[in-house]
Amino acid sequence: MSLWLLNHFSTFTLTVVTVGGTVVLAVTGSVLLRRRYPSLAEGEHNDMVGVTLGMFGAIYGIILAFVIVTLWTQLESTQTIVATEATDMALIARDAAAFPPPVRARLDGALSAYVHAVVEDQWPRMRAGRPSYGTTAGSFQAVYDVLQSYEPKTAREEVFYEEAVSQLNDVASQRRARLTMAEQQLPPLLQVLAFGGAIVLIPLTFLYGMRKLRIQILFVASVAALIGFSLLLVFVLDRPFAGELSVSPAPYREGALAQYWTP
């Protein structure tokens, strides 16, 4: 469900729905409770409610901060993995210039097939949360086959051959890491703490009585907006390959790899 929402709605739309919905529900609940219990406006329980609200707010704030920082770090790590894999592929393409023309042509063909498979076939699967190793397995093995069947004839070719093999091994490592990150999501316990905490904290603000209704609404709406925006960050950052803030496949189209996308 979360993947479908991220892939079918813009971040702006999700912001309006999440933050706006949280504020509307909180304000509505506060107004209804105030009408049901007019004595709340007197603030006779504000001392107790204030202490409880402060304690819960501090604990919930720490939990949200931990979750958001963790997810942001995960997103940055995924971007680094993608950039590193694309860079290693580009280095192999450059090293291939030192090989004989027939070998270079075969290697370029295998690299082109792999790059296209990653962007056109595997990326949509990762956006949908269904990454598959088999999607690029054949094209990736083809790159290995070219290098394994080639025997360098000169010292110059041997140097570039060793570099290409080393870079290809790094690509294999980054490829596995990328697919692993595509399957990652926030553990259920942290999801309960992040979203369940809002269900506990926001209603507590209803009990903090203020004589003027406008001040009460402003107070409740401010807390609800802050919590709603924090939950939006958790929701958007949880899936690094889905949504508008997702990791882009652009590195596979740039630099030395751009030659594989020209008509």
Side-chain angles (χ1 to χ4, degrees):
M1 182 62 177
S2 62
L3 286 171
W4 185 86
L5 291 173
L6 288 171
N7 290 326
H8 288 81
F9 293 95
S10 66
T11 302
F12 176 78
T13 302
L14 293 175
T15 301
V16 171
V17 173
T18 304
V19 180
T22 303
V23 171
V24 169
L25 288 175
V27 170
T28 302
S30 177
V31 172
L32 292 177
L33 187 66
R34 185 184 177 103
R35 289 181 179 177
R36 179 67 178 81
Y37 300 102
S39 61
L40 287 175
E42 302 299 326
E44 58 180 321
H45 302 297
N46 280 3
D47 290 341
M48 181 187 68
V49 174
V51 172
T52 305
L53 189 60
M55 180 181 66
F56 273 76
I59 296 174
Y60 184 61
I62 293 173
I63 293 173
L64 273 184
F66 170 76
V67 171
I68 292 173
V69 169
T70 300
L71 293 177
W72 181 258
T73 302
Q74 174 181 296
L75 179 64
E76 289 187 327
S77 298
T78 305
Q79 291 174 330
T80 300
I81 289 170
V82 169
T84 302
E85 181 185 10
T87 299
D88 288 335
M89 295 296 295
L91 291 174
I92 296 174
R94 293 183 184 279
D95 291 338
F99 301 156
V103 178
R104 182 169 66 247
R106 289 176 55 207
L107 187 56
D108 279 338
L111 289 173
S112 177
Y114 175 71
V115 170
H116 278 269
V118 169
V119 175
E120 297 173 349
D121 297 333
Q122 199 166 65
W123 218 267
R125 292 175 181 270
M126 293 191 298
R127 284 181 62 88
R130 301 189 305 269
S132 172
Y133 285 91
T135 303
T136 57
S139 55
F140 187 68
Q141 183 60 43
V143 182
Y144 266 111
D145 292 341
V146 173
L147 292 178
Q148 289 172 347
S149 63
Y150 169 59
E151 184 176 351
K153 300 297 190 300
T154 66
R156 175 175 175 271
E157 291 180 0
E158 186 172 348
V159 170
F160 283 97
Y161 176 82
E162 291 178 353
E163 285 293 325
V165 171
S166 176
Q167 297 296 343
L168 185 57
N169 289 333
D170 289 341
V171 170
S173 175
Q174 299 301 327
R175 171 175 173 264
R176 178 170 292 275
R178 170 171 53 80
L179 293 176
T180 299
M181 295 301 287
E183 298 175 329
Q184 295 293 320
Q185 62 177 328
L186 197 65
L189 181 58
L190 285 180
Q191 292 183 23
V192 171
L193 287 174
F195 292 93
I199 300 176
V200 175
L201 186 61
I202 292 178
L204 279 176
T205 62
F206 302 170
L207 303 177
Y208 197 85
M210 298 180 183
R211 294 185 181 277
K212 292 186 178 181
L213 179 60
R214 285 183 297 177
I215 302 300
Q216 176 94 33
I217 291 176
L218 180 61
F219 170 66
V220 172
S222 300
V223 175
L226 179 60
I227 293 177
F229 190 78
S230 299
L231 293 180
L232 175 69
L233 283 177
V234 173
F235 183 72
V236 170
L237 297 176
D238 190 25
R239 296 288 190 158
F241 290 100
E244 290 186 348
L245 299 181
S246 61
V247 179
S248 170
Y252 298 94
R253 300 175 180 268
E254 300 170 345
L257 300 180
Q259 61 180 314
Y260 302 134
W261 296 95
T262 54

